[in-house]
């Protein structure tokens, strides 16, 4: 019988994703690095400029779909990262250097719920988008997700980047489960917020 490590419960389930996104943040701290990583959004299938800055941190065993998820997430982060010409030492957002309480549950659905409650996006728009994403393949998601994430970040809606990376690496094999998790998080946030208002 195996004995569980006493620290098992304390292990960070997003440790690898957190380390990769911290690396992306560091690469975006120079103008050349940020520009190269951002260029991955032009065509995540052929991220040749970004390879110099990202490939060493992408596991060698990854297939093409998984690699694209890494590149896409890095590109979306670089798109909204501080301009290093203006901010010489930008601080990484919460959740990149260490876990934040509850961040493993704060997926894209949670971010979209925050956008609705902050009146950044309408409820109908978000419901339609969640339904659409649940039916999309990886190619369509790669095309449609960057503008949505850019809209969220432009209005300071938080995105838990390590969690988004984890979900996108799962999309090719488990799109329905991932879309379900996003939808559940959206409605759970709504339910919790509504309950809190009713009891306050």
């Amino acid at each position: 019988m195996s004995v569980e490590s006493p620290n098992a419960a304390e292990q960070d389930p997003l440790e690898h994703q957190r380390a990769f996104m911290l690396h992306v943040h560091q690469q975006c701290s120079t103008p050349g690095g940020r520009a190269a990583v951002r260029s991955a959004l032009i065509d995540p299938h052929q991220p040749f400029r970004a390879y110099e800055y990202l490939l060493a941190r992408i596991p060698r065993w990854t297939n093409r779909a998984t690699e694209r998820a890494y590149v896409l997430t890095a590109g979306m982060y670089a798109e909204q990262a501080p301009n290093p010409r203006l901010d010489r030492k930008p601080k990484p957002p919460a959740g990149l250097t260490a876990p934040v309480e509850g961040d493993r549950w704060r997926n894209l659905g949670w971010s979209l719920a925050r956008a609705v409650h902050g009146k950044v996006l309408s409820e109908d728009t978000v419901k339609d988008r969640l339904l659409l994403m649940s039916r999309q393949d990886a190619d369509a998601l790669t095309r449609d997700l960057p503008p949505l994430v850019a809209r969220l970040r432009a209005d300071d809606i938080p995105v838990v980047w390590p969690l988004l990376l984890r979900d996108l690496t799962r999309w090719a094999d488990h799109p329905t489960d991932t879309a379900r998790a996003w939808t559940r998080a959206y409605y759970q946030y709504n339910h919790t917020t509504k309950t809190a208002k009713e009891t306050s």
Side-chain angles (χ1 to χ4, degrees), residues 175-194:
T176 303
D177 289 343
T178 307
R180 181 184 294 115
W182 289 352
T183 305
R184 285 174 61 89
Y186 172 75
Y187 285 107
Q188 182 63 41
Y189 182 92
N190 286 343
H191 173 73
T192 303
T193 303
K194 182 179 179 180

Side-chain angles (χ1 to χ4, degrees), residues 57-136:
R57 295 301 182 97
I58 298 175
R60 295 178 63 182
W61 47 260
T62 55
N63 56 30
R64 191 171 293 180
T66 303
E67 179 189 290
R68 181 171 58 178
Y70 277 92
V71 169
L72 176 66
T73 309
M76 289 190 293
Y77 180 88
E79 182 73 11
Q80 61 79 50
N83 185 336
R85 297 184 188 278
L86 304 176
D87 189 348
R88 297 292 178 126
K89 294 183 178 180
K91 292 182 179 179
L96 289 199
T97 55
V100 175
E101 184 177 357
D103 67 353
R104 61 183 293 192
W105 311 112
R106 295 175 179 176
N107 60 29
L108 183 63
W110 173 82
S111 297
L112 291 171
R114 294 281 301 264
V116 170
H117 285 270
K119 303 191 184 305
V120 171
L121 296 171
S122 73
E123 185 174 0
D124 288 342
T125 295
V126 169
K127 287 180 179 179
D128 289 345
R129 183 58 66 93
L130 284 168
L131 183 59
L132 175 64
M133 288 191 296
S134 72
R135 299 170 177 170
Q136 287 183 314

Side-chain angles (χ1 to χ4, degrees), residues 3-13:
V3 178
E4 186 176 5
S5 166
N7 295 324
E10 299 176 8
Q11 292 176 352
D12 178 8

